[in-house]
């Protein structure tokens, strides 16, 4: 059998060629690893952003749901308030006979029941005589000259009661203000 003997120069060239191929493969592998690491980092970033967005949506949804529950009574209150106003006006009428007094007593009972129902649902009245005028809760309809007993920017009279639910105005009070 014939042996293939290469000269030391040929063997050295072959070894260098193998080293060059190996070095090229290592460089390609390093480049591929760097690309994969970059893709992994991008995927992790997208994942973290998506998770944060989902958390934000959850918190926003819970807050909106709490607000909806908190202010659920506002719509019903807006519908009932004209009836409460009419009952209050009916109670201001003076009656002389017994039959009219019985009707007035019944109207008082209905008025008190509606008032209690509003209070039980967190709906409060705003706008009382002598209270400081606040444009967030009151609507000035008239102005009255101020004097020593009545300072400026206080409520002189209430023309229509206002109502609030928590910190939200359902209907501003219509008032006359000392000026």
């Amino acid at each position: 059998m014939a042996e293939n003997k290469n000269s030391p120069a040929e063997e050295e060239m072959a070894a260098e060629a193998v080293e060059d191929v190996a070095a090229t493969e290592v460089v390609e592998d390093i480049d591929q690893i760097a690309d994969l690491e970059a893709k992994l980092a991008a995927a992790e970033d997208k994942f973290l952003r998506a998770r944060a967005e989902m958390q934000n949506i959850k918190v926003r949804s819970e807050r909106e749901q709490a607000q909806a529950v908190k202010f659920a009574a506002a719509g019903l209150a807006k519908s009932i308030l004209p009836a409460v106003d009419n009952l209050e006006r009916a109670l201001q009428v003076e009656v002389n006979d017994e039959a009219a007094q019985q009707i007035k007593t019944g109207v008082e009972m209905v008025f008190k029941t509606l008032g209690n129902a509003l209070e039980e649902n967190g709906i409060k009245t705003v706008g009382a005589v002598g209270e400081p005028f606040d444009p967030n809760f009151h609507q000035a309809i008239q102005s009255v000259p101020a004097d020593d007993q009545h300072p400026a920017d206080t409520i002189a009279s209430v023309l229509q009661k206002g109502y609030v639910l928590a910190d939200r105005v359902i209907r501003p009070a219509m008032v006359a203000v000392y000026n």
Side-chain angles (χ1 to χ4, degrees):
M1 220 165 59
E3 279 189 37
N4 238 355
K5 288 205 170 185
N6 293 335
S7 70
E10 289 176 341
E11 285 181 13
E12 190 177 318
M13 284 178 49
E16 286 178 6
V18 169
E19 285 179 15
D20 287 346
V21 169
T24 304
E25 288 178 0
V26 168
V27 169
E28 289 174 357
D29 289 346
I30 290 173
D31 289 344
Q32 188 177 10
I33 289 171
D35 288 345
L36 291 174
E37 286 176 344
K39 287 179 182 178
L40 176 62
E44 285 176 345
D45 184 58
K46 284 181 182 180
F47 170 73
L48 291 174
R49 288 179 187 273
R51 186 165 57 176
E53 182 63 25
M54 290 299 292
Q55 185 66 27
N56 289 342
I57 289 170
K58 180 181 176 187
V59 168
R60 191 176 328 125
S61 174
E62 288 171 354
R63 185 179 27 214
E64 287 172 358
Q65 187 176 12
Q67 290 285 332
V69 168
K70 183 177 180 179
F71 296 111
L76 180 61
K78 281 183 180 180
S79 300
I80 291 175
L81 292 180
V84 171
D85 293 338
N86 289 335
L87 290 172
E88 194 168 17
R89 282 193 275 291
L91 291 173
Q92 292 173 351
V93 173
E94 294 295 324
V95 294
N96 296 329
D97 63 349
E98 189 175 319
Q101 184 59 42
Q102 288 178 346
I103 292 172
K104 187 173 182 177
T105 301
V107 170
E108 280 178 352
M109 291 170 58
V110 171
F111 178 73
K112 286 179 184 177
T113 302
L114 284 174
N116 289 337
L118 291 172
E119 283 182 29
E120 287 171 4
N121 286 285
I123 298 167
K124 297 181 175 95
T125 61
V126 292
V129 174
E131 194 176 281
F133 175 75
D134 183 349
N136 297 314
F137 299 104
H138 311 118
Q139 182 177 358
I141 303 297
Q142 296 175 343
S143 64
V144 178
D147 57 23
D148 293 339
Q149 296 172 354
H150 304 99
D153 294 330
T154 57
I155 297 174
S157 65
V158 178
L159 306 171
Q160 184 180 49
K161 287 182 183 177
Y163 293 88
V164 294
L165 174 59
D167 56 348
R168 186 178 289 179
V169 176
I170 296 173
R171 181 178 78 186
M174 288 193 250
V175 297
V177 180
Y178 288 112
N179 194 7

